[in-house]
Every structure is written in C-alpha cells, then in structure tokens.
Amino acid sequence: MRATGEKSNEAVLALPLGRLLAKIVRIDSADKEGSVAAALAELKAASPYPDDDLTLSLETMRETASGQIAIAAALPESATEDIGEALDAAKLNITRIDALSLGVLREKWPFILGNQPEADASVRRLVFVQELDDVAAFAMDGDMPVAMRAISGLSIEADMVRETTRLLLEAEDFGGSREVAEVVTLGDVPVEGLGIFSKNIRRLELAVEDHAGFDGVAERSVEEGTLNALPESWRVMLEETRFKGKMKRALVAAISVWVLVMAVLFGVPVAYGYMTDHQKSLSRAHSRRYNEVKEMREKVRLVQKYSDHSRGALEILKAVSDRMPAGIVLGNWNFKREDGVRFSGESDDASSVYVFKDALQAMAFGEDDDAEKVFAQVLLTGPSATKGGKQKFDIECRYESEEER
C-alpha cells in the first residue's frame, strides 16, 4: 500500500495478522520497563524464530489509573524474506508496518456496531475478519480488543471452534468473564459451529480483492502512537536511504549551480569584471576554471580593442588636435592602443593648459549626454614655467582608470 506523501517510493505496509506477533498487554506505570520487557518476552516465546531480536511496537488503547492497555506487536526479520524480495522488485522503502485487520476494523466499525450508537462495554463481541487464507479474530469489550489472534487452517470446522475457544480463554484471562453478545464476521468466514458461542451471528460483506482496510490503515498512519512493527534493521535502512536521497538532491543542486556559473563566465567574459563578490568567491573555489576564464576575457578585450578603429592612433591624434586651444604646441607623442596616449607640450599661459585637459577629459564617442567617454582618466603634470616664459606640461590619457586595471 503506497503512502500518501511527498516521497513516491515510500509506503506503509499492511500485513495480515498471521504474519505478525501480536498480543494485548498491560503496561504498569510503576514498572514500565519491566512490563515492556515482559511483553517482549511473551512475543518472543510465541515466535517461530526464537533467535531473532524483535523490535517491539506498542499502541496504547486505554489509559488507566495503574498504567496502559496496549497492543504489542513485532515482526520477526527471519519471516520477511519474501516480503523483502517483493519490495526490492517494486523499489519501495517501507516507513511503517501495520496490521491490515486493524485498518478493516477502523473502516467497518460503524457497520459492526449496527444500530447501536456506541459499543456496550458490559458484554463481549467476537469479530472475525477475512484475510486472504487466514482469519483475524478479535474479542472486543466495547470498542477495545482484549484478545486477538490469527486463525489458520480453516478447511476443518473444528479449527474455527478450537481457536475461538482459545481466543475467549485469553480474553477472560485478560478482561474477566463476560457474556458473548454476538458474533460478527467480515468477509467469507466460515460460521459453522460458532453458534455455541452466541446465537446472534451477523455477516458483513468484505471485498478483500478491492483492498478493504487500506483506507483505515492510511488513516492510522497519520496518527501518532499507532502500531509500527518495522524491524530495527529496516529502520536503519530507511534512514540511510533518506540520507542518500538528500545527499543526491544536494549534489545535483550544487552541480546545477556550478554549471550555471561556468556558463555565465564563458558566455559573458566582457562583463566578468562587474560580477558580484559571491561570483568571485566561487571563481576562487574553482581556481583552474577561473584562470581559463580570465585568459579568455583578456583575449576578447584585446580583439575588441584592435577591431575598434575609433581608438586608432590617427583618430586619437585628430581628436586631441581638434580640442587643443590656440597657443599650445605639442612636443612628443607616445600612443599605445592598449593603454592610451602620452604627450608633452608648451603653452603661452597656464589657463589654456587646464582648458585643454578638461576638453580631453570630456571627450566622448558621440554627442549624447550618456555617450561613452574616450578616456577614463586624464592625468596632468604641470604646467611649470620655463626660462623662455612658456608653460611646460605633460598629459597622460588612459583608457582605463587605476581602479579598473
């Protein structure tokens, strides 16, 4: 039975009562550990695999002044080989193991009560639930089972009578002697001979092939404290599987982020210098990839510079000359396409040198207000007066500022 949850490969397993070790027990609040140990010892004594370490599960049905009345159940691991093979073939991970007959009781309880508004706790009711080739038998005092057992070998009528007698003896030992008010059967349960226990025998339909009881088990699965006979080794395996699943999802997410980062770096090398500090930290973590991207970026920038004729030597010389005020004479000229241009000169007065420097600083590609500046930085040395009365100066025009380098 597949569970209703986020993980589609996790399921709740509903087993016939005959596959489980189950018993109604009392847990003494004054000696809880001792009571639990005693319940475990009883189940282990009834197990066909006495060497198995049982994982005990308790479902509290009543809280009393002296303690609790609970269903104690366990599943011997040695009896699960066929179950494990079927689950492996279906690729399912089991989160809980419950008794299918308890799910049937949950679903059919209003029909079991019949016309009564609630169960009469002063009398005892026998309830038999069809489970494939077996029958799950319950002795109910009101709405609480006081004895439960799986009955097999129903080809002989005496089996039913004998096992029902044992069930009633167990119920009497646990809850005292009470009149059996009626017998209720769910499904194709043989009733021959059951009239010796009660004259009132009522049969209810139960479509086993239509997954009767699954809805009841699903309801029980979302309630806290309900039965879970999952063996300890299965619990460990479930935790490991869940951990591996989380690791796998985290690894896929990390790889996806890394691939996205690398795609951005290779696809937009020109904008690499403007990436965030987080991007830079990722690049440092992947230093080899970072160096490859950096080299690629420099190559692209170099190609762009050499393919940009607007920054050629003649174009820059003309642009500088067009902005040179009268009275200025240039001395030497040193142009580097990658860096910019350096030159020196003389002027009749200092003010024209500052005007010249501002004009170079404002020089841009185009005439729009948001046009890109030709020079990112213009550095002026001087002007300083010479013996002839001229103002000598040096100007360096850089395509990139010191911060950008």
Side-chain angles (χ1 to χ4, degrees):
M1 170 182 159
R2 193 171 289 276
T4 55
E6 295 180 358
K7 304 177 180 65
S8 60
N9 66 328
E10 292 190 355
V12 173
L13 182 62
L15 292 177
L17 190 60
R19 297 300 297 263
L20 300 170
L21 301 172
K23 186 177 180 62
I24 308 299
V25 297
R26 297 184 188 273
I27 304 299
D28 189 355
S29 57
D31 186 19
K32 187 173 183 179
E33 291 185 3
S35 300
V36 171
L40 182 60
E42 287 189 58
L43 293 184
K44 195 164 187 178
S47 173
Y49 307 96
D51 294 333
D52 275 11
D53 291 329
L54 299 180
T55 303
L56 182 67
S57 176
L58 295 173
E59 178 177 340
T60 301
M61 296 181 294
R62 287 287 190 278
E63 293 280 354
T64 66
S66 59
Q68 303 168 346
I69 298 176
I71 301 175
L75 176 63
E77 291 189 40
S78 297
T80 61
E81 182 176 352
D82 58 332
I83 299 174
E85 291 176 356
L87 294 174
D88 290 341
K91 297 182 179 180
L92 288 177
N93 297 317
I94 299 303
T95 59
R96 294 183 69 255
I97 294 180
D98 200 355
L100 180 60
S101 55
L102 294 178
V104 174
L105 291 181
R106 170 66 67 90
E107 286 184 25
K108 303 298 182 181
W109 187 245
F111 303 98
I112 295 173
L113 289 179
N115 297 325
Q116 301 177 20
E118 59 182 21
D120 185 0
S122 64
V123 296
R124 186 158 290 157
R125 176 185 284 113
L126 296 179
V127 180
F128 299 92
V129 180
Q130 178 190 1
E131 290 187 323
L132 299 177
D133 297 329
D134 298 339
V135 169
F138 297 87
M140 309 287 295
D141 288 357
D143 60 354
M144 184 182 71
V146 290
M148 57 193 298
R149 68 190 297 118
I151 303 177
S152 304
L154 300 182
S155 59
I156 304 176
E157 179 181 326
D159 290 340
M160 195 72 176
V161 175
R162 183 180 63 251
E163 294 300 322
T164 303
T165 302
R166 290 179 178 177
L167 177 72
L168 285 174
L169 290 174
E170 187 177 341
E172 185 173 336
D173 181 60
F174 187 87
S177 177
R178 296 191 185 187
E179 178 188 357
V180 177
E182 69 172 340
V183 175
V184 180
T185 64
L186 289 90
D188 189 16
V189 177
V191 297
E192 291 78 5
L194 296 182
I196 64 173
F197 302 107
S198 175
K199 295 181 179 180
N200 298 321
I201 299 178
R202 187 156 46 96
R203 184 189 297 273
L204 299 177
E205 295 296 328
L206 183 67
V208 177
E209 65 278 3
D210 293 336
H211 309 299
F214 279 20
D215 290 341
V217 172
E219 292 177 9
R220 288 169 50 80
S221 298
V222 298
E223 298 175 358
E224 293 185 4
T226 51
L227 204 66
N228 183 9
L230 195 68
E232 182 61 29
S233 63
W234 290 34
R235 297 174 194 266
V236 174
M237 186 179 301
L238 176 63
E239 292 176 2
E240 291 178 352
T241 302
R242 285 176 170 175
F243 177 76
K244 291 178 181 179
K246 290 179 181 179
M247 287 292 294
K248 183 178 180 180
R249 290 191 292 272
L251 182 60
V252 170
I255 292 175
S256 299
V257 171
W258 184 84
V259 170
L260 179 61
V261 169
M262 292 298 104
V264 171
L265 291 178
F266 281 106
V268 195
V270 177
Y272 184 82
Y274 302 97
M275 298 188 72
T276 61
D277 292 340
H278 176 64
Q279 188 65 58
K280 291 179 180 178
S281 66
L282 287 177
S283 298
R284 286 193 296 270
H286 307 286
S287 59
R288 184 174 63 86
R289 294 295 185 185
Y290 172 77
N291 291 332
E292 292 178 1
V293 172
K294 185 176 180 181
E295 182 180 353
M296 178 68 72
R297 176 176 176 269
E298 294 299 327
K299 290 179 180 179
V300 171
R301 291 178 58 189
L302 185 62
V303 170
Q304 288 179 334
K305 286 184 178 181
Y306 276 98
S307 61
D308 188 0
H309 298 292
S310 61
R311 293 193 179 188
L314 294 177
E315 288 77 3
I316 295 298
L317 178 60
K318 181 179 183 303
V320 171
S321 300
D322 291 344
R323 288 160 178 78
M324 188 169 60
I328 290 182
V329 177
L330 298 182
N332 55 19
W333 177 273
N334 185 2
F335 173 79
K336 290 184 179 181
R337 177 180 285 272
E338 295 82 2
D339 300 327
V341 61
R342 296 181 182 181
F343 55 85
S344 59
E346 293 181 344
S347 174
D348 293 338
D349 57 85
S351 61
S352 60
V353 176
Y354 292 112
V355 171
F356 186 28
K357 186 256 185 183
D358 293 339
L360 294 175
Q361 185 71 65
M363 193 167 66
F365 295 113
E367 299 180 357
D368 298 336
D369 294 337
D370 57 350
E372 181 185 357
K373 296 290 184 64
V374 175
F375 300 120
Q377 190 174 27
V378 177
L379 303 176
L380 171 63
T381 304
S384 58
T386 63
K387 293 181 180 181
K390 297 288 186 177
Q391 297 290 328
K392 185 177 180 181
F393 64 89
D394 294 293
I395 292 180
E396 181 180 359
C397 301
R398 297 176 176 175
Y399 291 135
E400 295 182 353
S401 63
E402 293 182 356
E403 291 79 7
E404 295 174 330
R405 293 189 172 187

